[in-house]
Amino acid sequence: MADPPTPPAVQSRSVSPRKTRLSLVWIVPIIAAIAGIWITATRILGEGPKIELEFKTADGLEAGKTKIQFNGVEVGTITTVRLSQDHQRVIAMAQMAPKTEDFLVEDTHFWVVRPRVSGASVTGLSTLISGAYVGMEIGSSKKSRRSFVGLETEPIVTTDVPGRYFVLKAHDLGSLDRGTPLYFRRLQVGQVVSYDLDEGGKSLTIKVFVKAPYDQYVNPDTRFWEASGIDLSLSASGLDVQTQSILSILVGGIAFETPASDPVLPPADANTTFQLFDNRAAAFMPAARNPQDFVLVFKESVRGLEPGAPVEFRGIRLGQVVDVTAQVDAKTFEFSSPVTVRLEAERLGLQVRDLPPGADLPALRRQLIDSLVAHGVRAQLRSGNLLTGSLFVTFDFFPDAPKTQIDWSQHPVRLPTVPGQFEGLEQRVNSIVKKLDSVDFKGISDDLQKAIEDLDKTLVSARDTLDSADRLVQPDSELGVELGATLQEVSRAARSLRVLTDYLERHPESLIRGKEGGPK
Amino acid sequence: MRGCRIGSWLPAVLLAAVGCGTSAPARFYTLDATATPSGGPALAASVLVGPVTIPSSVDRPQFVAAIAPNRVDIDDFNRWAAPLEDSIARVVADDLTTLLGTPDVAVAPMANFEPTYRVTIDVQRFESIPGEAARIDALWTLRATADGAKRTGRTVARESVQGEGFDALAGAHSRALARLSVDIAAAIRAAADAGP
């Protein structure tokens, strides 16, 4: 290849081969570089997204070790843990597995799984050995996101569980907690998800989750009540013990039920707000429809009559006692106890549904009460429970009660009363005395005399009878003689028997051989 | 009486029914009234004799012979024809009829009979000593039905046996009963005289 006679050529020759050698030498690094770039590129391209998680504390989080799991499958690793700029929070960077981009949307949640023991459940026990891990819940949003604020606690209900959330309003939390079970006919169908004090601090909002398919049983008329522990109550109705399950005795619970009598309503919408009652009785106390307050003035002691005591009409509950006060008449110095009761007059048979639309409901109610009072309906205090001395108010018919009219101009309207059972005793004694007065004593004594005369005659004939009986048993009578003869016969038979046994005792052989010897 | 016959026949019938051997025939004795009229005036009174009680050792059909002190022999082949109580009552009644001269003497029980006097006799000893004597000790009570006045007496009669055998003994007993009747008759007469 070398050609010396031609130096330029040689020069050019000498240059050309050098260039060729160089390019050959660099091929390897270039290829290596290309490969490197390709590998890097593929790695960068194939690597999953990096995300940023913000937590309150890094307790249990370890860079490079702590995994992110979804339903138990590892989908990422915490790479670094550092403090936020204001030092209040912890920022953890995580490397997600490839192809997890669609997990990372607006409403995806992350939380640190740590062992957690609550009354109702124990969760995250495995983390005691394996160390904490980050759990996640995939949202349903379409908007992608890379920076998340982690939840402090694991959500009770994950979004993939079908069901509905409802909101309960309570005046206190009782023994409820997150995770407290929700019972429907003693079947656990959900949990308390969260609770929060309302603005103003006057009530609590409790969020509960009801699993499908049980959520369909929650309709707008459903009653929720706190079924915590043992609900024991002693009232005019007697001793009442209510429990849900052993677990609820320990940790409390919420039960719900839908009154059966109502027409079937469509299931309630999610996040419908319900009232949380203290107990089942309160929950099922029929929601007062058009309740109206009335005043009943009792002259007797109202000891044992408490607000909440039932007001009944022949055993049908009409309402309850709202207030018991005392008043004294300045002129007569007469004490009385006005008792305010809240009644639903509809329960006395006025069917609102049957009324034509546009009917004057208050007027109809007034008419009904007027006619009842005209027929002798009065309120009376009665002892509901001798053990506790509880009283209740009952309406009943007292046809003998003095006539009265209701003054509808007053507010609240005053209904007539009659004295209680014991207070009525005096009246009864009076009526008995009146009856005694009207007894015809003269007639009775005449009758008595007649009866005595008859008795005299009877005695005479009785004496005759006794006389003949006497004659019958006299010694000389036929019966006496016969009796004497019979007794004599009996005595002789006994004597013969005695002789025979006496002889046989002395000579038993005579039964076979006859009497031995002969007359001397 | 019918009862008397049944009472006596029952043992015999039973023995005949079950016995295969033969028995020697028994001899039966009776007591008889032997009193002789006392000669006194007839008494217009009625008397009821009975009941009579006898010691249980002799209250049996057989003759009970005292053969040694504290020892008796019950002789199965020499028997009283009637129970002794009945025999004694009848013999005394028979004797009294003779002694008092009244036919109205009956043996208790007797219906529709209103006696003036009632006589009850408790025979305390009725001994038969073969070949020797018959002895009767009896306590008797006389009671007037009208006023209830009572008289009590005791008769001890011992009659020697004239001859051998039980026939003689039965005769001696009859005589002893006659002596008893004489005492009772005397008491009745005394009562009748003392009375109205």
Side-chain angles (χ1 to χ4, degrees):
Chain A
M1 214 195 258
D3 200 1
T6 51
V10 167
Q11 231 172 10
S12 67
R13 273 178 201 166
S14 65
V15 170
S16 306
R18 200 185 256 181
K19 277 180 184 170
T20 311
R21 267 200 301 278
L22 266 171
S23 64
L24 275 173
V25 166
W26 280 99
I27 279 174
V28 173
I30 287 165
I31 289 169
I34 291 166
I37 290 163
W38 184 74
I39 287 168
T40 311
T42 51
R43 188 166 167 191
I44 289 170
L45 287 173
E47 203 173 45
K50 276 193 168 62
I51 56 168
E52 194 183 270
L53 302 174
E54 195 179 316
F55 290 112
K56 208 171 181 179
T57 167
D59 186 22
L61 296 182
E62 220 171 320
K65 272 194 175 175
T66 304
K67 308 292 185 197
I68 295 173
Q69 293 188 1
F70 173 66
N71 281 358
V73 179
E74 194 182 314
V75 293
T77 311
I78 301 288
T79 48
T80 60
V81 179
R82 62 179 169 80
L83 284 171
S84 64
Q85 287 192 337
D86 58 357
H87 309 305
Q88 297 295 311
R89 312 273 299 174
V90 176
I91 310 284
M93 299 298 291
Q95 175 64 61
M96 297 300 285
K99 295 181 181 152
T100 54
E101 287 85 354
D102 51 344
F103 292 3
L104 307 169
V105 290
E106 279 284 315
D107 52 354
T108 295
H109 294 118
F110 292 87
W111 63 90
V112 182
V113 179
R114 300 187 181 96
R116 179 181 157 82
V117 179
S118 77
S121 59
V122 177
T123 54
L125 263 195
S126 61
T127 59
L128 280 177
I129 300 161
S130 64
Y133 63 86
V134 175
M136 68 177 287
E137 177 194 24
I138 297 169
S140 52
S141 166
K142 297 285 173 216
K143 259 175 116 183
S144 183
R145 192 173 180 173
R146 289 291 180 271
S147 175
F148 300 93
V149 175
L151 302 174
E152 290 317 308
T153 49
E154 185 175 351
I156 297 291
V157 181
T158 47
T159 46
D160 53 338
V161 179
R164 260 179 292 181
Y165 290 92
F166 297 103
V167 177
L168 304 180
K169 289 280 182 194
H171 58 81
D172 75 40
L173 190 60
S175 53
L176 303 179
D177 196 1
R178 295 182 68 250
T180 295
L182 200 67
Y183 296 96
F184 177 63
R185 303 193 183 283
R186 300 213 158 80
L187 184 71
Q188 188 178 341
V189 298
Q191 279 174 311
V192 172
V193 179
S194 67
Y195 53 85
D196 209 354
L197 197 62
D198 288 348
E199 272 181 48
K202 285 196 171 167
S203 64
L204 279 160
T205 300
I206 299 168
K207 203 169 177 191
V208 297
F209 179 76
V210 181
K211 279 186 280 193
Y214 309 107
D215 57 341
Q216 61 176 308
Y217 301 117
V218 179
N219 68 31
D221 198 29
T222 297
R223 316 286 163 81
F224 288 80
W225 69 93
E226 208 179 307
S228 303
I230 300 173
D231 180 8
L232 192 144
S233 61
L234 194 63
S235 65
S237 323
L239 181 68
D240 187 30
V241 181
Q242 291 274 341
T243 64
Q244 281 293 319
S245 68
I246 296 292
L247 185 65
S248 76
I249 290 174
L250 294 175
V251 304
I254 291 174
F256 69 86
E257 218 177 295
T258 306
S261 56
D262 288 339
V264 180
L265 296 170
D269 295 334
N271 293 318
T272 309
T273 302
F274 293 94
Q275 169 80 31
L276 180 64
F277 294 97
D278 282 346
N279 50 51
R280 191 178 189 277
F284 275 86
M285 195 173 291
R289 293 197 194 99
N290 303 316
Q292 194 173 354
D293 283 3
F294 294 95
V295 167
L296 310 169
V297 179
F298 292 104
K299 297 255 162 63
E300 64 218 72
S301 162
V302 290
R303 179 188 156 80
L305 186 71
E306 282 162 24
V311 178
E312 294 179 354
F313 178 72
R314 298 201 145 186
I316 300 160
R317 183 142 185 177
L318 287 187
Q320 59 178 5
V321 173
V322 179
D323 192 22
V324 180
T325 52
Q327 72 178 18
V328 60
D329 190 318
K331 281 179 203 159
T332 60
F333 210 69
E334 199 171 62
F335 276 97
S336 55
S337 309
V339 174
T340 310
V341 294
R342 190 159 294 162
L343 302 183
E344 288 174 72
E346 278 74 8
R347 288 175 176 266
L348 282 173
L350 191 64
Q351 291 296 327
V352 181
R353 276 182 217 141
D354 300 343
L355 292 174
D360 187 1
L361 198 61
L364 277 172
R365 192 187 298 153
R366 226 171 268 190
Q367 210 178 322
L368 175 73
I369 292 173
D370 270 339
S371 70
L372 284 173
V373 168
H375 281 89
V377 169
R378 300 286 184 275
Q380 190 185 38
L381 281 181
R382 283 202 191 154
S383 177
N385 188 326
L386 286 179
L387 201 68
T388 57
S390 318
L391 293 178
F392 68 99
V393 178
T394 183
F395 284 92
D396 211 332
F397 286 97
F398 295 93
D400 300 337
K403 294 261 177 275
T404 181
Q405 280 274 319
I406 295 177
D407 180 5
W408 289 100
S409 62
Q410 285 180 333
H411 188 80
V413 176
R414 181 173 163 177
L415 295 180
T417 63
V418 292
Q421 283 162 320
F422 289 112
E423 279 66 21
L425 207 60
E426 197 186 337
Q427 291 179 0
R428 280 184 216 177
V429 170
N430 271 334
S431 88
I432 288 170
V433 169
K434 257 183 221 164
K435 279 177 192 156
L436 272 181
D437 275 347
S438 64
V439 170
D440 180 13
F441 286 109
K442 174 83 170 62
I444 287 174
S445 83
D446 286 352
D447 283 355
L448 207 60
Q449 208 163 8
K450 234 179 270 173
I452 287 168
E453 276 164 18
D454 280 356
L455 193 63
D456 208 30
K457 280 178 206 156
T458 311
L459 284 175
V460 167
S461 81
R463 196 163 53 196
D464 288 351
T465 311
L466 284 175
D467 280 353
S468 32
D470 198 33
R471 279 199 293 281
L472 201 64
V473 296
Q474 264 176 352
D476 287 349
S477 69
E478 199 183 343
L479 185 67
V481 171
E482 286 290 318
L483 196 64
T486 309
L487 286 174
Q488 215 165 2
E489 293 282 315
V490 169
S491 115
R492 281 189 181 143
R495 185 200 300 251
S496 296
L497 202 60
R498 175 159 60 90
V499 169
L500 175 64
T501 54
D502 183 41
Y503 182 79
L504 283 180
E505 194 187 35
R506 283 187 289 134
H507 305 290
E509 76 284 351
S510 65
L511 275 178
I512 298 165
R513 293 187 202 148
K515 280 184 182 177
E516 281 181 354
K520 285 169 218 168
Chain B
M1 286 177 109
R2 264 180 70 216
C4 180
R5 278 205 293 279
I6 289 174
S8 345
W9 277 99
L10 191 64
V13 167
L14 276 176
L15 281 174
V18 299
C20 301
T22 52
S23 301
R27 286 178 186 161
F28 292 91
Y29 302 93
T30 56
L31 292 170
D32 297 318
T34 54
T36 47
S38 59
L43 196 71
S46 54
V47 180
L48 184 68
V49 181
V52 174
T53 53
I54 58 170
S56 52
S57 59
V58 295
D59 186 14
R60 56 182 82 232
Q62 298 95 336
F63 235 105
V64 179
I67 53 171
N70 303 323
R71 191 180 150 205
V72 294
D73 181 36
I74 298 171
D75 195 323
D76 287 318
F77 295 95
N78 293 292
R79 306 166 78 95
W80 295 110
L84 265 181
E85 303 160 3
D86 285 2
S87 298
I88 291 169
R90 276 178 202 291
V91 167
V92 170
D94 211 346
D95 283 342
L96 286 179
T97 313
T98 311
L99 292 165
L100 298 174
T102 169
D104 290 344
V105 182
V107 177
M110 169 96 178
N112 296 323
F113 187 73
E114 307 281 331
T116 322
Y117 302 103
R118 295 186 77 116
V119 178
T120 52
I121 304 168
D122 179 29
V123 178
Q124 292 176 339
R125 182 182 280 206
F126 192 91
E127 263 180 15
S128 312
I129 309 163
E132 202 172 307
R135 178 177 166 162
I136 291 175
D137 285 9
L139 182 74
W140 44 265
T141 308
L142 179 70
R143 192 165 73 92
T145 339
D147 54 0
K150 259 197 224 171
R151 277 161 194 269
T152 305
R154 190 182 185 86
T155 301
V156 176
R158 186 191 160 95
E159 286 290 324
S160 304
V161 174
Q162 294 156 347
E164 286 296 317
F166 290 94
D167 312 57
L169 262 175
H173 277 302
S174 297
R175 286 197 300 282
L177 288 177
R179 281 177 57 185
L180 170 64
S181 303
V182 167
D183 287 356
I184 295 170
I188 292 172
R189 280 187 187 278
D193 291 345

